[in-house]
Amino acid sequence: MAPRLLNRRDLEFMLYDWLDVESLAARPRFADHSRETFTAALDTAEQIATDLFAPHNKLSDRQEPQFDGERVSVIPEVKRALDAFSAAGLMAASQDYALGGMQLPLTVEKALTAYFTAANMATASYAFLTIGNANTLLKCASSAQVEHYVRPMLEGRWFGTMCLSEPQAGSSLSDISTRAEPDAGAPGQYRLSGNKMWISAGEHELAENIVHLVLAKIPGADGKLVPGVKGISLFIVPKFLDGGERNDIALAGLNHKMGNRGTTNCLLNFGEGRHRPGGRAGAIGYLVGREGQGLLNMFHMMNEARIGVGLAAAVLGYTGYLHALDYARERPQGRHPAAKDPSSPQLPIIAHTDVRRMLLAQKAYVEGALGLCLYSAHLVDDEHSGDTPEQRQRAGRLLEFLTPITKSWPSQWCLEANSLAIQVHGGYGYTREYNVEQFYRDNRLNQIHEGTHGIHGLDLLGRKATIHDGALLKTMGEEVRATVNTARGVRQLAAHADALDAAWRRIEQVTQALYGAPDLNQTLANATVYLEAVGHVVVAWIWLQQAMAAVAGLPEDDDFRRGKLQACRYFYQWELPKVQPQLDLLAALDTTTLDMQDAWF
Amino acid sequence: MAPRLLNRRDLEFMLYDWLDVESLAARPRFADHSRETFTAALDTAEQIATDLFAPHNKLSDRQEPQFDGERVSVIPEVKRALDAFSAAGLMAASQDYALGGMQLPLTVEKALTAYFTAANMATASYAFLTIGNANTLLKCASSAQVEHYVRPMLEGRWFGTMCLSEPQAGSSLSDISTRAEPDAGAPGQYRLSGNKMWISAGEHELAENIVHLVLAKIPGADGKLVPGVKGISLFIVPKFLDGGERNDIALAGLNHKMGNRGTTNCLLNFGEGRHRPGGRAGAIGYLVGREGQGLLNMFHMMNEARIGVGLAAAVLGYTGYLHALDYARERPQGRHPAAKDPSSPQLPIIAHTDVRRMLLAQKAYVEGALGLCLYSAHLVDDEHSGDTPEQRQRAGRLLEFLTPITKSWPSQWCLEANSLAIQVHGGYGYTREYNVEQFYRDNRLNQIHEGTHGIHGLDLLGRKATIHDGALLKTMGEEVRATVNTARGVRQLAAHADALDAAWRRIEQVTQALYGAPDLNQTLANATVYLEAVGHVVVAWIWLQQAMAAVAGLPEDDDFRRGKLQACRYFYQWELPKVQPQLDLLAALDTTTLDMQDAWF
């Protein structure tokens, strides 16, 4: 029996018992929906993921995409899986009916996503990049552009990419140098030239066309590019132009990754003259939204993409945990420390406390992480379709605060879960004959893309903790306190509530202390530690919510409920205390790393 | 320029300024040696490692050994490198002159080893397994066996393996079922049958012969195997018998690993009848030492192998750190948080505090780990050739205590260093076009083999902390206090000394508290946490020693000295405080993992 991708009962517990997505059906946008339609969508996702995505996960790792200088070849199983995904309408699961969508809440859409990524992160990425691209255009493109580019993407006939980084501009997007020159005689049309790096799904033959969303700079009257982010605009640059002519986009090479190998990752050269649309060099592109608003428009996508990264990390951790659990139940090895008789039968390794430690840690990480991601998705629903302007604004603020954590925490701790899944398997887990080593390699990507771990630390402490006069942190604190106050009334959870309350108070004090530093470089010196500490407290809060839902909704003798409470206990006994030394370090405005000099290394 | 394998200045600082290996030359065994001969040996090792081991590290990962059902093929660069290693006399670097050795101290031999493993862990493993095999036989084999089997190994003509695990017996060696039946008419000769799993270097054509050291059980008069470890004996089972006949050992298959791919890892079937030496099935083997002493004899090797694993982990981390450092100095990206002018040039990323954090953490992990391994090797020298019986006994006790830590701490934290090296490289680090992702994959093995991480926790808390009425822990405490007392007299280090003293006191209290638990299962439930906490304190102690040596021996304005002190400061400010919540958890006799039930997962 193949290990489960996810624990369906847990997913439904989160959606129905905890986040109460059924109540979303009361909103006009979701009026046709109900628990039945949500569950039917989950059934569809689980089946397609199991039947068409999971079976080639290993194969597409072993036979990664090849570039022969002309064409990129991808194993045929990838296209078959993605075609089935599109045919089921899943490219447009959360879109308006008018666009052919199902108008599912984003929370439910993310739960569907979870199945595909758990089954095959690399193949699923082609779809999710396309959805992200479409959502970006829906926010800022003209209606003609939506008709022309978004519709075929939502039908799954065309795929999409995001072209941000360049070889000299990765984390520092303000330094991009791709140029977009107005195309004489064609209003709104530009000719782009420049090199884009790390373009996932940048080239393949899985779809009829590829819609590249490209950040580039339009030169000023003096022919120079405007330094900084203000000069950045957003363009649609399709692989094939209307009429089928090939645009001037050339694949310079594929990057060969440690994991996530099934997704092509490309260096693309725009406008180098490899193709000559309209008889001359230069990639033809179309401005999206207003000039100079490119980064702002792209950030719509990036925030969504960041929840997607966190979710991918969470579910890779989740499926690894289920693999390890199955293995630990089946593999006999050793006896209890106090057992003296060597002729007694060996125990399944789950009988060893240290193996249960590794499983319980995985459970705490992956269910905490998945909960965080679904909670964030629910905030997107509230921001978009909440009943009142206040609810929508509040959800937006929480989402802004949580986004760097939702991206980073699962990327860090569900990688650790994957490492523990290997460890539970012993030597077997280190071999490619088993699945867990691939999850570990695949998951290592998630701390790097869509903003590195360190960048999100700067985002959280340098931006989210201070904008709107600290309103985001304040709103977040109100939510934490509301949970604390309710949990204090629940016998089994009162001590956890006190611990969470104390930890959050400490975060507020520490944030203030950091902004009391003599300069911004010192305030931000240890921003990554801040990200990690706040992240741990946030996940403790997520766990307390899950535990409350378990206590409120499930019978006392239910093993599932007991597991939730035990994982919550694990998080409070084993994990939350780890933030104390981190917060001590931050409160002391430690300058060890700031003082370190290049020459001393 | 290829990145350095190790920092030679640091290695010499550890050997000469800190561990004072020059003083070993005062011992009769090392009388011919001096700093000059040690340094000449380091030069040789560095050169061969750089010229012949490092260049094919990537290639042997990409083109891993292949088994066509008959023969195993390995890229030719591996044999060329190992032949050069043998030709330089390095197989016998620490052996007696009478055996063709150089009589180098083990501390120096391990420093040589460090170069080869940093250059190419997979290729180096063939040599180090052979050396370990030879050392085992030198401890317990007959002089005829030494002449016959050890000499060709020390000359590098024959290679060796250790065959312990079986498919049903990995961590639980007492459950092995390989049988050794006396071979009628040939005294001391046995016929072995059984399956051995995870046999590194178990098959190849790199040497003229392979000497397998095999654990097996001799049946009793009733034909049954004795349960438990008491029934285990040790056998030499050569691939080719005298006269060149092929022994009955068949390669059933290779394991395909995530990393360390260049070392063949084999499932070997003994006595299945594939070959018929002397006309019949059964692998011919020769008893080594006494019947029933197999595991005891093998443990000579395993303790040495465990230092070797720790050292491999340390130097994989070390070379990864140097790669990241070079990259951070060359890669321009971004500006300081307070810098407003986007047209100013981008800074090398080492100018960013968070990048320095990642580099400083790596430095603290890898130099701490390498120091721990060399310190342990020095204890082996003291145990073997110390001036007095007291010194030898004391060194033996410290070594026994430290061995599980020397194996485990580098395996955990230098893997983390490799992860940080990837992170410093950003997306580039995740690609196989760069080197660091391979270090990360290779290093993940080290938490698994030669006893998993959890097994060493049980060894440390369940055995080392209690045997000889707690004498090991007591001796260790005396060493720590001696360091504390000296360091208290050094202005810059007095605060660190106090912190170390407090941490060690806490460990003593916690150890007592753990043995106050109502039963052994509860005492040992969180043994892995104990291993990790004690390990962190031990490495803090190693760092304090290194800092004292730097202060005592180097001029104040020396950048190298400043780096040592800053890394020590990092360890005390950032790392040592992490043990507090671990020790709190242990002191509370936490039963979260013990209480967790299979059904609740």
Side-chain angles (χ1 to χ4, degrees), chain A residues 58 90 102 172 231 281 296 318 379 430 478 507 511 531 555 558:
Chain A
K58 231 179 171 47
L90 292 166
M102 299 185 203
S172 181
L296 196 71
Y318 208 128
L379 288 175
Y430 191 66
E478 289 164 7
I507 283 172
T511 309
L531 174 72
D558 181 345

Side-chain angles (χ1 to χ4, degrees), chain A residues 359-400:
Chain A
L359 293 170
L360 189 52
Q362 289 173 68
K363 180 178 168 74
Y365 298 152
V366 306
E367 295 180 9
L370 180 58
L372 174 63
C373 295
L374 292 177
Y375 186 93
S376 294
H378 198 277
L379 288 175
V380 179
D381 278 322
D382 283 349
E383 189 187 23
H384 291 173
S385 63
D387 296 324
T388 63
E390 292 70 29
Q391 187 188 15
R392 293 195 289 274
Q393 190 200 42
R394 188 174 182 85
R397 288 187 164 178
L398 288 171
L399 187 64
E400 272 206 88

Side-chain angles (χ1 to χ4, degrees), chain A residues 127-385:
Chain A
F128 300 140
L129 286 161
T130 301
I131 293 170
N133 179 311
N135 283 337
T136 306
L137 289 177
L138 286 169
K139 289 251 172 51
C140 56
S142 69
S143 55
Q145 286 171 332
V146 167
E147 280 303 311
H148 202 96
Y149 297 102
V150 175
R151 276 204 182 268
M153 286 199 284
L154 295 182
E155 291 163 8
R157 293 189 293 113
W158 295 8
F159 283 0
T161 76
M162 325 284 173
C163 302
L164 287 74
S165 296
E166 299 178 4
Q168 82 296 345
S171 293
S172 181
L173 282 175
S174 65
D175 288 286
I176 64 165
S177 63
T178 295
R179 297 173 72 91
E181 309 262 4
D183 205 359
Q189 187 168 309
Y190 292 77
R191 291 281 184 158
L192 278 77
S193 57
N195 307 318
K196 289 291 178 180
M197 186 62 170
W198 308 122
I199 310 310
S200 288
E203 181 53 22
H204 54 73
E205 297 185 352
L206 300 167
E208 297 164 23
N209 200 358
I210 302 176
V211 180
H212 299 289
L213 282 187
V214 182
L215 293 183
K217 291 185 174 181
I218 301 170
D222 59 357
K224 290 188 183 157
L225 302 182
V226 180
V229 298
K230 287 179 196 159
I232 299 176
S233 301
L234 179 63
F235 299 86
I236 291 170
V237 188
K239 176 179 171 182
F240 293 108
L241 298 161
D242 294 344
E245 192 179 13
R246 184 78 188 252
N247 206 348
D248 188 7
I249 308 165
L251 176 61
L254 295 178
N255 294 304
H256 298 91
K257 290 164 288 172
M258 175 165 70
N260 197 39
R261 295 184 178 191
T263 308
T264 56
N265 186 278
C266 309
L267 175 58
L268 293 180
N269 292 351
F270 289 81
E272 66 168 18
R274 175 73 177 273
H275 304 281
R276 301 175 60 83
R280 66 186 186 84
I284 292 177
Y286 310 97
L287 182 66
V288 182
R290 279 188 298 158
E291 196 177 325
Q293 301 279 300
L295 206 59
L296 196 71
N297 287 327
M298 195 58 111
F299 262 92
H300 291 308
M301 177 284 295
M302 284 171 76
N303 278 331
E304 188 191 321
R306 284 163 177 182
I307 299 177
V309 168
L311 182 65
V315 298
L316 279 174
Y318 208 128
T319 191
Y321 158 60
L322 295 176
H323 280 68
L325 181 57
D326 286 353
Y327 184 83
R329 284 172 168 159
E330 287 162 15
R331 166 76 176 169
Q333 194 71 188
R335 295 163 191 84
H336 284 308
K340 298 287 179 205
D341 179 6
S343 66
S344 64
Q346 298 198 74
L347 300 169
I349 60 173
I350 199 168
H352 300 303
T353 311
D354 195 55
V355 173
R356 287 204 304 283
R357 170 188 68 83
M358 294 191 277
L359 293 170
L360 189 52
Q362 289 173 68
K363 180 178 168 74
Y365 298 152
V366 306
E367 295 180 9
L370 180 58
L372 174 63
C373 295
L374 292 177
Y375 186 93
S376 294
H378 198 277
L379 288 175
V380 179
D381 278 322
D382 283 349
E383 189 187 23
H384 291 173
S385 63

Side-chain angles (χ1 to χ4, degrees), chain B residues 211-272:
Chain B
V211 180
H212 299 289
L213 283 187
V214 181
L215 294 183
K217 291 185 174 182
I218 301 170
D222 59 357
K224 288 187 184 157
L225 302 182
V226 180
V229 298
K230 287 179 196 158
I232 300 176
S233 302
L234 179 63
F235 298 86
I236 290 171
V237 188
K239 175 178 172 182
F240 293 108
L241 298 160
D242 294 345
E245 193 179 12
R246 184 77 189 252
N247 205 350
D248 189 8
I249 308 166
L251 176 61
L254 294 177
N255 294 304
H256 298 91
K257 291 164 287 172
M258 176 165 69
N260 196 39
R261 296 186 177 190
T263 308
T264 55
N265 187 278
C266 309
L267 175 59
L268 293 181
N269 291 350
F270 289 81
E272 67 168 16

